[in-house]
Structures are given as structure tokens and as C-alpha cells.
Amino acid sequence: MGVILPPAAASMMAMLGPWPNIDEDDMGRESAAVRTAHTTALPAAAQVDAGVQGVGQVHKGESATHLQSFWDQHGGQNGHLAQADAALRSMPRVIDGGASVVSAVKVAAGTQAVFAAVDVAKLLAFGGAVGATYATARVLAGRKAVGGILRQGAEGTGKVLAPLMRSKVTEPMRRVLDTMKLPRGPMGSPALAGGPRGVVPMRPAGLRNPSGPRSVRDGIAQMGRRNNRGNSGGRGGGGGGRGRRDETGKFHGAIPQSTRGMSEAEKKKLKDDLEKSIAKRKAEEQRLGYEVGHAERIQREEGALRRLFGRNK
């Protein structure tokens, strides 16, 4: 439990020096939280390390070599995982040491405050200028003693605990964060066994951007459009030759390059199909979000409508 001064000593402490504004109970709770996190993370880290080592015994090849090299640097033997484990193990001890220093400083300073309060009360009981003079001298002596206590506490934390925390916890964790990186195989892709040439290409996810990678939402929209095409019997609408608008309301398949040889009814139907397909695709884009292939198809249909019929809705 944290050290608390009685009211009389607290008023005297205000004249002797600053009371350490640190709750050692909070420090103890923080230390317990770190121990819990370490206890939980340690078995998981051991399982991951064992799993990666097991992969190396089964899979061979260039990608497996890259993975093993990566894990030697980042894994649980001497790599970053082991360094993080050592830092988490050391942190609670340093925090507990700091809490002990805070408690010791509070006890020593509080003792000075209590003794000074009693002495001053006795001196003031004599009354007169002599009593006040001695009481003032006693307060000044107590202030000097408390100042020495606070200075020693600060030096203990600053010269012992702070460097220990920096060398055992802060710097190792900073090195881990600064040097941590994904495993890299040939061609700059993550090293995974089983793929062509030992790699599995991966598409990065990010904000939706016409010229950049698609987001997860765009990928879902694209899968929905592919499912629609699959349910309609294929991209060509169920046969070769000229494309047509299927039951989804979108035009699929090849767009004619000219209307030569078409009857007026066929021309009208083609124009109507393109206009309705463009409207349907734009509504779908508004609902599901931007996707590069979908936008390119809209541009092709709009261009065909202008080219074949001279205008576009």
C-alpha cells in the first residue's frame, strides 16, 4: 500500500519540500500487468519457434533457406523474439525497484515531517520570539534533511534504475522494432515454400486508388462481379460471337466495332443494351466501390456507344 502522510505531517511537509507525486501502488500494478503479459506470450512464442523449426525439417529449397535465415535473426533462440522475452522478463524487476525507491523516499521524508511537526509544536508552546526563532530553525533543518533525501532518491533512480531500464528494456525493444522486417524471398516477395520459384506473390492492401493497389472492399466487390458473371453462364453470355446483356443487366462479351450489316432493330437493341449496361455498372460501382477492371469496362462501353451511335448517356 502506498505511503500516506497524516494531516498534521502533511501540512509540515508542504514547508519542508515537495512530496513525491508518484503512486507506488500504480507501479506495482504495472509490474504485475507486464508479468501477466510475459507469462501469456512466452508459451505462444515457444510454439511459433517450434513450428518454424518443424517447417525447416519438412520443406527444402530456396524459400525454406530464406525462411530459416529470417528466423535465425528474428526467432526465439538468439533473435528478436528472444530479446523481447528478456526485456519483458527484466521490466517488472526494474519497475519494482523504482516502486521500492519511491516508498523509501516517502517513508524517510514523512518521518522528517512528523518529527519536525512535533518539535515545532513544542517550540511554539514556549511562546515569544525565542520559541518562534527555534521553530524556524527546526523547519529549515528539516527542509535541508528532506532535500537530501529527495536528492538521494533521484540519484538512485537516475544513476542506477534508469540506466538499467534503458540497457535491459528500452534499447533492446527499440532495436527489435527498428530492425524487424518481413521475410523476403527471391523477387522481393515473402519467402514461403511451395510456390513457383519458392515465392508466393502477394498484393498489398491500401486505400482505394485507380492507379494503385485495391483495398479489401474492392476485392470483395470484384468477387461479387465475378460471381455474377459465373452465374450468367460466362463472360460471353453463353456462346461465341457478339456479346449481349444478360439477366444481371450488364453487357458481357465482345462489343461490335461497327453496326455494318445490322438491321435497325439490332442497332436499337445494341444501343439500348449498352446504355442500360453502363447505368447498371455505374450504380454497382457507387454501391460496391471503385475497382480498376470494372471502371475500365465502363470506359470501353461508353467509348463504343460514342463510336457507334455518336453520343452517350
Side-chain angles (χ1 to χ4, degrees):
M1 183 175 179
V3 178
I4 301 175
L5 287 176
S11 59
M12 175 57 66
M13 189 70 207
M15 293 186 288
L16 298 183
W19 181 251
N21 190 23
I22 302 174
D23 190 343
E24 56 269 44
D25 287 344
D26 285 344
M27 297 178 70
R29 286 188 288 270
E30 185 70 22
S31 174
V34 174
R35 283 191 172 91
T36 301
H38 179 249
T39 302
T40 304
L42 191 59
Q47 291 178 4
V48 173
D49 187 69
V52 174
Q53 299 298 337
V55 169
Q57 295 176 3
V58 176
H59 293 276
K60 304 298 180 181
E62 189 175 1
S63 61
T65 302
H66 279 282
L67 180 59
Q68 186 60 50
S69 176
F70 166 82
W71 198 246
D72 289 342
Q73 182 180 0
H74 299 277
Q77 299 298 323
N78 298 307
H80 294 152
L81 198 61
Q83 296 175 30
D85 172 67
L88 284 177
R89 187 181 295 110
S90 301
M91 185 182 297
R93 295 198 292 266
V94 178
I95 295 176
D96 290 341
S100 298
V101 171
V102 171
S103 295
V105 169
K106 285 184 176 182
V107 169
T111 301
Q112 287 292 330
V114 171
F115 287 159
V118 173
D119 291 344
V120 168
K122 290 179 180 179
L123 292 171
L124 291 179
F126 286 104
V130 175
T133 300
Y134 279 111
T136 302
R138 181 64 183 87
V139 170
L140 293 176
R143 182 177 297 177
K144 182 178 180 180
V146 169
I149 292 170
L150 295 177
R151 183 172 59 254
Q152 291 174 7
E155 289 180 353
T157 55
K159 293 182 178 180
V160 179
L161 292 179
L164 187 62
M165 175 69 84
R166 185 168 54 251
S167 62
K168 296 293 186 180
V169 179
T170 307
E171 291 180 355
M173 293 301 294
R174 181 179 290 115
R175 286 195 301 269
V176 169
L177 293 175
D178 289 344
T179 58
M180 187 178 295
K181 60 183 179 180
L182 290 174
R184 293 290 172 183
M187 306 295 291
S189 299
L192 297 172
R197 296 182 61 188
V199 300
V200 176
M202 297 184 67
R203 182 189 298 275
L207 297 174
R208 285 180 285 135
N209 186 336
S211 61
R214 296 193 303 274
S215 68
V216 174
R217 181 180 175 186
D218 290 332
I220 294 174
Q222 185 184 40
M223 285 190 291
R225 293 171 185 131
R226 287 175 178 171
N227 288 337
N228 288 337
R229 291 198 292 269
N231 293 333
S232 66
R235 187 174 176 84
R242 193 171 67 211
R244 64 182 179 86
R245 192 165 62 94
D246 60 17
E247 64 268 19
T248 67
K250 295 177 290 186
F251 195 97
H252 292 293
I255 303 174
Q257 297 299 312
S258 72
T259 58
R260 182 179 303 174
M262 293 184 186
S263 65
E264 290 301 322
E266 289 175 333
K267 292 178 183 179
K268 184 177 183 304
K269 184 178 185 307
L270 176 61
K271 178 175 175 295
D272 184 64
D273 285 349
L274 287 174
E275 289 175 346
K276 290 181 179 179
S277 176
I278 291 169
K280 178 70 175 179
R281 289 182 185 278
K282 287 186 175 180
E284 189 177 80
E285 183 179 61
Q286 184 70 25
R287 185 178 71 257
L288 297 176
Y290 182 90
E291 195 267 322
V292 176
H294 191 70
E296 189 270 339
R297 179 69 190 197
I298 293 175
Q299 294 177 358
R300 285 176 55 195
E301 292 182 5
E302 287 179 337
L305 193 61
R306 287 192 298 269
R307 183 180 69 255
L308 298 174
F309 302 103
R311 65 192 184 95
N312 184 17
K313 287 188 178 182

